[in-house]
Amino acid sequence: MSLFSLISENRTRFLTGAVLIAVVVAIGLIDNFFLIWLFLGIVYLFSFYEAMRLFKIDNNQMYAYAAAVWLLALIYPNPDDLFFLIAVIFASLLAYTRDFDKRLFLPFLYPVASFLFLLALYADFGVSALFWLLVVVALTDIAAYFTGKLAGKRPFCETSPNKTIEGVAGGVLVATFAGFFVGSSLVDWPQALLISLGVSVASVFGDLFESYLKRQAGVKDSGDLLPGHGGILDRVDGYLFGGIVMVLLLRGLL
C-alpha cells in the first residue's frame, strides 16, 4: 500500500487529529493556567466517563468525586500529590467498611492520576514541556502507524494485533529524534534524548494498555465522540502514560 493511499483512506482520522492539534496549540500559545486547567478538565471528565464504561462501573456519585478532585487541583500547588491522597482515602474506606467496592478505585488510577500529572507538568515546567510531550507522543503514534502499514510484518504483541515491531520501532525512533531537538531547548542534550526516548516508549504502552482495557470490555473504541478516532481515551492514551514518565524524568534528571 502506498503512502498516498494510506492518507486517502484515513482522511477523516487525519482531519480530526489536525483540528485537535490546532486547538491544543492555540491554547498553549495563550499560556494561561486557568485555561489549560479548564481544557484538561473537559478532556479529563470525558475520559473519566469512558473509563467508567470500560471498567463497567455504574455509580453516578463517582463523577462528583472526580469533579471535586479536579477543582481541588486548581488551587493545590502539587496536583499529582492528590492521587496519593485519593489512594489513602480509598484504602481507609476499604479498611473501615471491609466491603467497599475496590473497583471504584480503578478510574482514579486510570485516567485521573495521569491527568493530575499532566497538570503538574505544566505547573512545574511550563507550556514548553507540554509542547515537547505533544511532539513526542503524536509523532510516536503517527510514525508507528505509517511505518507499520508500509513495512510492518512481525506482530508486536497479542493485546493489539495491528501493532507491529517495525511500526513501534519506527515510531519510537522518529519521535525520539524529533523530541531530542525540541527538548534540547529546555534541557541538556543527554537529558533531552533520554526523556524523549522514555516518553515515546511509555506512550506506546499507554496505547497498549487502553487496547487491553477495550478487549477486556469487549468494545472496539472507548467512545464515539471523535470522528475517525473513537473516544477521548482512544486519542489521549499515549499522553496518559507519557505525561507521568516526563514529569518523573524531568524531576529526576534536572
Side-chain angles (χ1 to χ4, degrees):
M1 182 178 293
S2 68
L3 181 61
F4 179 77
S5 298
L6 284 175
I7 294 174
S8 298
E9 289 181 7
N10 294 274
R11 187 176 304 164
T12 301
R13 174 185 175 91
F14 294 138
L15 180 59
T16 301
V19 171
L20 291 174
I21 290 175
V23 171
V24 171
V25 170
I27 292 173
L29 290 174
I30 297 173
D31 193 9
N32 175 269
F33 180 83
F34 178 78
L35 182 60
I36 288 180
W37 170 85
L38 181 62
F39 173 74
L40 285 176
I42 293 171
V43 179
Y44 160 88
L45 289 175
F46 275 110
S47 298
F48 188 85
Y49 167 75
E50 292 178 359
M52 290 277 286
R53 292 180 60 200
L54 291 179
F55 292 127
K56 298 181 179 179
I57 298 173
D58 184 18
N59 186 328
N60 290 333
Q61 290 182 341
M62 295 284 284
Y63 297 104
Y65 300 145
V69 169
W70 198 250
L71 286 171
L72 185 57
L74 176 62
I75 59 175
Y76 192 76
N78 300 305
D80 51 311
D81 288 349
L82 293 176
F83 169 71
F84 301 103
L85 176 62
I86 295 169
V88 168
I89 291 173
F90 269 93
S92 300
L93 288 171
L94 180 61
Y96 183 75
T97 64
R98 296 202 300 176
D99 62 352
F100 190 74
D101 187 355
K102 293 184 284 291
R103 294 184 310 131
L104 296 181
F105 182 64
L106 294 176
F108 290 92
L109 180 62
Y110 180 90
V112 172
S114 296
F115 277 97
L116 292 173
F117 270 88
L118 287 173
L119 188 61
L121 179 64
Y122 174 70
D124 291 355
F125 302 102
V127 72
S128 296
L130 283 179
F131 177 69
W132 185 8
L133 176 69
L134 174 66
V135 168
V136 173
V137 176
L139 285 181
T140 300
D141 183 50
I142 294 170
Y145 177 81
F146 281 110
T147 305
K149 288 294 185 180
L150 296 172
K153 295 180 180 179
R154 295 171 293 174
F156 182 64
C157 73
E158 294 182 2
T159 302
S160 184
N162 292 329
K163 276 186 171 53
T164 64
I165 294 174
E166 293 82 3
V168 169
V172 170
L173 285 173
V174 170
T176 300
F177 184 73
F180 165 74
F181 283 100
V182 175
S184 293
S185 64
L186 304 175
V187 299
D188 293 336
W189 73 263
Q191 288 95 329
L193 184 64
L194 182 60
I195 292 171
S196 296
L197 175 61
V199 170
S200 181
V201 172
S203 74
V204 170
F205 284 93
D207 180 73
L208 195 65
F209 180 70
E210 208 245 341
S211 295
Y212 165 78
L213 292 181
K214 289 187 293 186
R215 289 174 72 86
Q216 290 292 105
V219 297
K220 181 179 182 294
D221 297 313
S222 64
D224 56 7
L225 186 63
L226 302 176
H229 290 271
I232 295 293
L233 279 176
D234 293 314
R235 186 63 272 155
V236 303
D237 47 15
Y239 298 93
L240 298 184
F241 276 32
I244 293 176
V245 170
M246 180 168 277
V247 170
L248 295 179
L249 290 178
L250 282 170
R251 288 175 178 171
L253 296 176
L254 297 185

